[in-house]
Amino acid sequence: MTNSILKDIQKASEKGNKLLAILLDPDKIDIHNLPKIATKIEDLGANYIFVGGSTVENGITEILVAILKKHTKLPIILFPGDCSQITHKADALLFLSLLSGRNPEFLIEQQIKAVPYLKNSTLEIIPTGYILIDGGTKSSVLKVSKTTPIPQKNIKLATETAIAGMYKGKQLIYLEAGSGAKVPVHPSIVSSVKKNISIPLIVGGGIKTKKQLTNAYKNGADLVVIGTAFEEHYNILKPF
Ligand code: 1GP
């Protein structure tokens, strides 16, 4: 197992270089369109492709990653809703703990269930503290995890949760408003978290306009993840 993807993210964060990942949900993608999708992602200048969803039919992720690999050299990072989405065909795995929630299934159970899939694996495993912020919708991560998101107003709790994640040894913090969120993570949360952690910060959920994207970067996001807007408002995003 190498740790080159994490190192690249850390280096970019140190230098202030901003990164972009496009999220593909295997449940929503027609695999026949993957060659075109890969080209579109590269045209946008994205750095990574994230693959995952809250609920994905078994086996689909592996098929999608295998086809994608034939059409792009961009690193593919798994962002799984559960351990069944792990495939060795990807380059790395965000090993997520849902730190904002109090459901043991997503704090430690899924992580233990993932071990048999990961033993002897060449996947780069990146310990990631995942923090769900209220994006104004009942997002699928909220429904599946059965946890309460942190309110946008509770900057203190969001920040202290991120700091606790760093103290626990996470290598990345991921602030998530949920896919299709009405409102992205508020800039004041992004900037407070960024000021208080010394590890790279990922922000995603509900980012649909260039202004929201720029705001996320300006306030301290090192890596922004975009899913819905890539599928629905591609022209707004191009070129970054
Ligand atoms: C990644 O779940 C998000 O953090 C993706 O959200 O689909 O709203 O871009 P969108």
Side-chain angles (χ1 to χ4, degrees), residues 148-203:
T148 312
I150 295 178
Q152 293 271 6
K153 281 188 182 148
N154 205 338
I155 301 170
K156 184 172 185 283
L157 180 59
T159 307
E160 288 176 353
T161 305
I163 298 171
M166 177 177 70
Y167 290 162
K168 276 166 73 69
K170 305 300 177 203
Q171 298 296 315
L172 300 173
I173 292 295
Y174 192 143
L175 291 173
E176 167 74 277
S179 186
K182 262 194 209 138
V183 281
V185 178
H186 196 274
S188 55
I189 294 185
V190 178
S191 87
S192 172
V193 168
K194 180 63 186 176
K195 279 184 200 132
N196 284 282
I197 59 171
S198 54
I199 52 176
L201 177 61
I202 304 179
V203 175

Side-chain angles (χ1 to χ4, degrees), residues 23-194:
L23 171 66
L24 301 180
D25 183 339
D27 256 359
K28 296 185 189 156
I29 299 286
D30 178 350
I31 52 170
H32 299 104
N33 292 335
L34 279 175
K36 265 193 204 149
I37 290 173
T39 310
K40 268 168 82 173
I41 296 175
E42 289 186 356
D43 284 353
L44 278 177
N47 307 89
Y48 301 105
I49 300 177
F50 280 15
V51 174
S54 296
T55 48
V56 175
E57 202 187 314
N58 226 330
I60 303 280
T61 305
E62 181 149 308
I63 297 170
L64 184 140
V65 173
I67 300 174
L68 210 48
K69 273 272 164 213
K70 290 191 189 142
H71 297 280
T72 182
K73 293 253 177 314
L74 286 177
I76 299 176
I77 303 180
L78 298 174
F79 172 53
D82 61 60
C83 62
S84 73
Q85 294 175 37
I86 294 172
T87 162
H88 306 297
K89 298 204 186 311
D91 299 289
L93 163 74
L94 294 186
F95 199 69
L96 302 165
S97 301
L98 183 57
L99 300 178
S100 53
R102 298 296 175 266
N103 182 352
E105 184 66 26
F106 295 94
L107 277 166
I108 186 63
E109 294 288 351
Q110 279 294 323
Q111 290 76 356
I112 294 170
K113 287 175 193 160
V115 170
Y117 296 87
L118 295 174
K119 269 193 175 167
N120 309 320
S121 157
T122 54
L123 270 178
E124 178 179 343
I125 300 168
I126 308 178
T128 305
Y130 191 49
I131 300 175
L132 187 57
I133 308 289
D134 188 359
T137 44
K138 253 197 160 263
S139 63
S140 25
V141 47
L142 193 146
K143 284 184 218 153
V144 169
S145 70
K146 299 190 184 73
T147 63
T148 312
I150 295 178
Q152 293 271 6
K153 281 188 182 148
N154 205 338
I155 301 170
K156 184 172 185 283
L157 180 59
T159 307
E160 288 176 353
T161 305
I163 298 171
M166 177 177 70
Y167 290 162
K168 276 166 73 69
K170 305 300 177 203
Q171 298 296 315
L172 300 173
I173 292 295
Y174 192 143
L175 291 173
E176 167 74 277
S179 186
K182 262 194 209 138
V183 281
V185 178
H186 196 274
S188 55
I189 294 185
V190 178
S191 87
S192 172
V193 168
K194 180 63 186 176

